Amino acid sequence: MRDRRSRRSRSALLRAAVDLVGERGTAAVPISDLADAADVSRQVLYQHFGDRDALLLEAALDLARRDLMPGLGDPAAAVPGRARSLAVASHFAEHRGFYRALMTGSTAFALGKVLTGLLVPFNRQLFQEALGGTLDARTMDDLATGLAGGGHALVCAWLIGGEDPLDPEEFADRITRMVTFLVNALLTVHAPSREPGVLASGQPRERTIR
C-alpha cells in the first residue's frame, strides 16, 4: 500500500510540474505550489526528487517517454524519417510552454543532455542503415550524438523564438531536409567506390529521408 501511495505521489508531482510550468511559462514555480497542485506535502516532494530542478528534469523525461517516444517507434523499426520528424515537432509544439521554460532556465543544460540521450539511438540506427560498415563505432556514435545535439539546438531556437502558432509540418520539413543533406554528404564521402556518391554496383548512392 505504501509503495502504491508513493507511486501515486510521484506521478502526481510529475503531472503538476508539467501543468504548472506550462501554464505559467516559467520554471521558477514555488515548491509549495507544485506540492499543493499534486496534493502532497513539500516533504514528499523533497523525498522523491530532492529539489525543484530535479523534479522538472524528471517531469520532462517522463513526458518525453510517455508522449514522444511512442510516436518515434523502436529505433530499429523502419519508420519513415519525416514521420519521426513530425512526431518530434508535434510533441514539442504541443508542450511549448513547459519546454521553453526549462530551456531558458537553470535546467537548460541538463535538459539538453537528457533529450539528446533519448534521440541518439534513433540517429545511430539512421547512420548504420545509410553507411553500413564504412564507419567505426566511435565515429558512428559521435555522428549520432552530434545530430541529436544539433537537432536539440534547432528545436530550442524554434520553441523560444518561433512565431505563434508554431507549424509542426513546416518544422518537420526543415528537420528532414537537414538530415537528408547530412546523410547524402556522408554517403558521398564514404561511398565504397571510385566515383563519389556511387555504389560498387553503379547505382546512385544518394538517399532521401522521407
Side-chain angles (χ1 to χ4, degrees), residues 123-175:
N123 296 338
R124 186 184 296 114
Q125 182 65 22
L126 169 68
F127 289 124
Q128 179 62 41
E129 291 174 358
L131 301 172
T134 61
L135 292 178
D136 61 274
R138 172 60 64 84
T139 301
M140 194 81 75
D141 285 344
D142 287 345
L143 280 171
T145 302
L147 179 58
H152 175 71
L154 196 62
V155 169
C156 286
W158 184 57
L159 292 185
I160 295 170
E163 295 183 2
D164 288 321
L166 295 175
D167 185 348
E169 293 281 353
E170 185 272 339
F171 191 67
D173 288 339
R174 289 174 59 189
I175 296 174

Side-chain angles (χ1 to χ4, degrees), residues 9 12 15-16 43 52 68 79-80 85 103 147 151 162 170-171 204:
S9 295
R15 289 194 301 271
Q43 182 180 4
R52 181 179 58 201
L68 172 60
V79 178
S85 297
M103 289 171 177
L147 179 58
E170 185 272 339
F171 191 67

Side-chain angles (χ1 to χ4, degrees), residues 84-109:
R84 282 177 171 165
S85 297
L86 184 57
V88 169
S90 299
H91 172 78
F92 284 103
E94 181 180 356
H95 302 285
R96 183 184 191 179
F98 172 72
Y99 283 115
R100 181 165 57 182
L102 268 61
M103 289 171 177
T104 55
S106 60
T107 57
F109 177 79

